[in-house]
Amino acid sequence: MASLQIIVFDVCGTACALHRSAAREFLPLPRLWHPPALPRPVAGFFNLSGHAVPVLRLDVLFGLQRVEDDAEADLYRHLILIDRFSASGLSALLVDRVLDVASVDTSQLSSVSAAGTLNGCVEAEVTWDGRLVHLLSAERILLAEEQQTLAELGRQAQDRLREWAVPA
């Protein structure tokens, strides 16, 4: 039987997953900087080895309500670094918590109609640890127009970061 590695995470009590191959790494939530007039789904940017990395709020993108929105809760949130959407090639998804990296049997996946989710961002569902998990497509989380806007915001943030670089 074929198996698939997934990253299981929580967003406002909703269990979601990504293909393990879509994620570069998991990070604790760093201090973000917020340029003026960011779209609500963009939590801000952080500097990763000289690269301005945009952070997307999945709770806002998916229309989910946060139970609590305080600084203490942010201490336990995670970023999933992915190679998508920005000028540097890196973006991060802000999630409440990464729960597991799991192997699931592909026969356990239930397909989801592309018309049933925005932009077909949920490609399948699977049961993990007694919970229904939505397997997301990293390529389809954002619409094409949103990807273009985020790429432009990323270019602007990278330019600003470059202006503050100390010459070697």
Side-chain angles (χ1 to χ4, degrees):
M1 289 188 206
S3 68
L4 173 70
Q5 285 240 303
I6 60 173
I7 302 158
V8 183
F9 54 92
D10 185 76
V11 179
C12 297
T14 301
C16 297
L18 285 171
H19 292 269
R20 174 63 186 101
S21 61
R24 190 176 214 188
E25 62 184 295
F26 317 124
L27 304 169
L29 180 60
R31 181 175 295 269
L32 302 178
W33 90 77
H34 307 268
L38 277 182
R40 212 170 130 243
V42 181
F45 292 85
F46 70 99
N47 181 350
L48 181 67
S49 302
H51 297 285
V53 179
V55 176
L56 294 171
R57 291 186 55 183
L58 289 181
D59 60 331
V60 173
L61 283 170
F62 297 157
L64 301 171
Q65 294 293 319
R66 296 213 57 74
V67 175
E68 53 188 57
D69 201 12
D70 61 56
E72 190 174 322
D74 284 346
L75 291 174
Y76 303 101
R77 297 178 84 192
H78 291 133
L79 295 180
I80 301 174
L81 196 61
I82 60 173
D83 293 315
R84 300 267 186 274
F85 311 134
S86 75
S88 71
L90 295 174
S91 297
L93 304 176
L94 178 60
V95 302
D96 293 340
R97 194 125 182 97
V98 173
L99 302 171
D100 198 3
V101 176
S103 288
V104 294
D105 190 322
T106 54
S107 67
Q108 295 177 307
L109 296 176
S110 300
S111 61
V112 174
S113 164
T117 66
L118 180 62
N119 201 36
C121 69
V122 177
E123 62 182 56
E125 292 176 333
V126 65
T127 301
W128 168 85
D129 199 28
R131 295 175 72 180
L132 178 66
V133 177
H134 306 284
L135 180 60
L136 305 176
S137 166
E139 295 83 11
R140 292 190 229 126
I141 289 173
L142 293 179
L143 300 171
E145 297 83 3
E146 294 167 333
Q147 289 181 33
Q148 291 171 350
T149 299
L150 187 63
E152 179 55 32
L153 289 169
R155 278 189 285 281
Q156 292 170 10
Q158 188 64 44
D159 289 345
R160 182 173 178 174
L161 194 59
R162 231 179 266 116
E163 288 175 15
W164 286 91
V166 176

